[in-house]
Amino acid sequence: MNLDNLARIDLNLLVMLQVLLEERSVTRAANRLHLSQSALSKSLNRLRDMLGDPLFQRTAHGLKPTAHAEQLAQHLPIALQSLHQLTQPPVFTPASSNRQFSLTMVESAYETLLPSFIGRLLSNAPNVRLDSYVWTEKSMQALQQGQIDLGISGRDLQPSSSFHFSQLPEGILYQTLFQDHQVCLVREGHPALQAQKNKVWDLAAYLALPHVQVRCEGNDWWALDYFLADLGHHRRLSATVPDFYGAASICAHSDLVFTLPSSFALHACKLYSLQQLPLPIDFMPMAYVLLWHERNNDDPGHRWMRQLIGDSMSSKKTA
């Protein structure tokens, strides 16, 4: 494509040519274009010079297109329609769209959040494709660079946390899906269950036990660990693993305590012989948030996806 040549083309002349091809009359074409016949004739001469062809011949029955004009008539309507579409605001029709979206989310979201909206997504937009990836320390950068459309991550509501909303990179917008809180999981028959029964399940008992931790965004510590450190306390992290399922399995087969969001704890208890205990410390909640870059904020497809995900989380917000 030679853009320099295209830059010299007056698109108004192509519109005029289409009208002349339809009307086969200078008078009728001038009326449709709200031009004088003189002005139209001058524009037609310009078009002839530009295309190097007379384009029309006058006959007793009006204008007769030349062979070149007949050839143009086969392609010009499609070209003009494409140009027209470029001037229209973007639209997104879920039922007929075959658009592809990419979504990165924390591992716990696959079991606790993804099932909440994937059914509605496929029902309303059967041809839309959703590519999902596990959230990593590089996911935020991928959102910034446009490699990923949307992200679902956990953000701490603790103001001093390094994972707080105020620490989001420039251009990243967010919507809170729902709030969650931390709980503890232990195996059936774990001594901590007796401690709770005896009403001595407190911070000292919690810190005295060994713990299993999930590595989050490349970090071995969670916000809870930084919070405890500020109070002069530290958990004994006996094992650090890369995923929630691994931590839950280890927890079910050892005396290690697994501290995690309550939404995934409910799922883990269905898979393993685990019991849930409250976190014996007053710790601020966290939130699952939907993240995207501001460049996509007004895109109809993005808006539809964000609305669908947000609406699907409404039951969790009130749970």
Side-chain angles (χ1 to χ4, degrees):
M1 180 185 298
N2 192 320
L3 294 179
D4 291 337
N5 288 340
L6 285 177
R8 291 194 290 268
I9 296 177
D10 185 345
L11 295 180
N12 290 320
L13 296 180
L14 298 181
V15 174
M16 180 206 68
L17 175 58
Q18 178 61 32
V19 174
L20 283 169
L21 287 167
E22 293 175 3
E23 298 293 345
R24 308 293 174 95
S25 165
V26 172
T27 301
R28 290 194 299 270
N31 289 335
R32 277 185 58 182
L33 294 169
H34 305 288
L35 297 173
S36 67
Q37 292 187 38
S38 175
L40 184 59
S41 296
K42 290 179 181 179
S43 294
L44 178 56
N45 288 332
R46 288 176 56 204
L47 189 59
R48 286 167 169 163
D49 291 338
M50 183 177 72
L51 298 178
D53 189 89
L55 298 175
F56 296 97
Q57 295 178 345
R58 294 184 182 274
T59 70
H61 303 289
L63 298 178
K64 180 182 179 180
T66 63
H68 184 47
E70 291 282 11
Q71 186 179 30
L72 291 172
Q74 299 178 23
H75 304 287
L76 188 57
I78 299 174
L80 291 176
Q81 179 62 29
S82 297
L83 289 172
H84 173 71
Q85 291 297 327
L86 289 176
T87 65
Q88 301 305 301
V91 296
F92 178 78
T93 306
S96 59
S97 176
N98 58 0
R99 188 165 172 178
Q100 181 175 339
F101 292 94
S102 53
L103 173 67
T104 178
M105 51 186 145
V106 290
E107 184 203 359
S108 58
Y110 277 97
E111 290 294 345
T112 60
L113 304 186
L114 184 60
S116 299
F117 65 83
I118 191 64
R120 289 185 60 190
L121 170 64
L122 297 177
S123 175
N124 289 280
N127 297 316
V128 162
R129 175 175 171 177
L130 180 65
D131 291 330
S132 61
Y133 305 89
V134 174
W135 184 276
T136 70
E137 63 272 19
K138 296 181 180 180
S139 293
M140 196 70 77
Q141 182 181 3
L143 283 171
Q144 285 184 292
Q145 296 177 349
Q147 299 169 349
I148 294 291
D149 292 312
L150 297 162
I152 295 178
S153 182
R155 295 287 107 180
D156 296 310
L157 300 182
Q158 175 119 349
S160 60
S161 170
S162 61
F163 305 108
H164 191 257
F165 296 117
S166 61
Q167 302 298 321
L168 291 176
E170 183 179 357
I172 297 296
L173 305 178
Y174 75 92
Q175 172 189 344
T176 299
L177 297 176
F178 73 98
Q179 290 190 17
D180 204 349
H181 61 283
Q182 304 290 334
V183 298
C184 302
L185 287 181
V186 295
R187 64 168 176 82
E188 291 185 353
H190 194 285
L193 296 171
Q194 188 63 39
Q196 184 193 34
K197 186 176 181 180
N198 295 336
K199 298 183 179 180
V200 291
W201 177 242
D202 54 16
L203 178 59
Y206 176 77
L207 294 176
L209 294 169
H211 296 258
V212 58
Q213 178 87 304
V214 174
R215 187 175 294 107
C216 183
E217 297 188 22
N219 297 288
D220 291 345
W221 273 24
W222 286 15
L224 176 61
D225 297 291
Y226 293 101
F227 178 77
L228 289 172
D230 288 340
L231 299 177
H233 303 299
H234 296 280
R235 291 191 294 166
R236 178 155 54 99
L237 300 179
S238 298
T240 304
V241 296
D243 62 89
F244 278 73
Y245 287 101
S249 179
I250 290 173
C251 181
H253 295 89
S254 70
D255 283 340
L256 299 185
V257 179
F258 182 21
T259 304
L260 74 166
S262 66
S263 54
F264 192 86
L266 294 173
H267 174 69
C269 287
K270 298 176 183 177
L271 299 177
Y272 303 100
S273 298
L274 294 167
Q275 296 291 317
Q276 189 175 144
L277 290 170
L279 180 66
I281 185 174
D282 186 16
F283 183 61
M284 295 184 69
M286 51 87 68
Y288 281 98
V289 295
L290 182 64
L291 302 156
W292 67 96
H293 195 274
E294 61 185 3
R295 74 171 69 86
N296 297 318
N297 196 50
D298 296 324
D299 178 85
H302 268 263
R303 285 204 309 265
W304 181 82
M305 279 289 292
R306 299 197 303 267
Q307 183 71 41
L308 180 141
I309 294 173
D311 289 347
S312 300
M313 297 298 111
S314 59
S315 60
K316 292 184 178 292
K317 289 179 180 179
T318 58

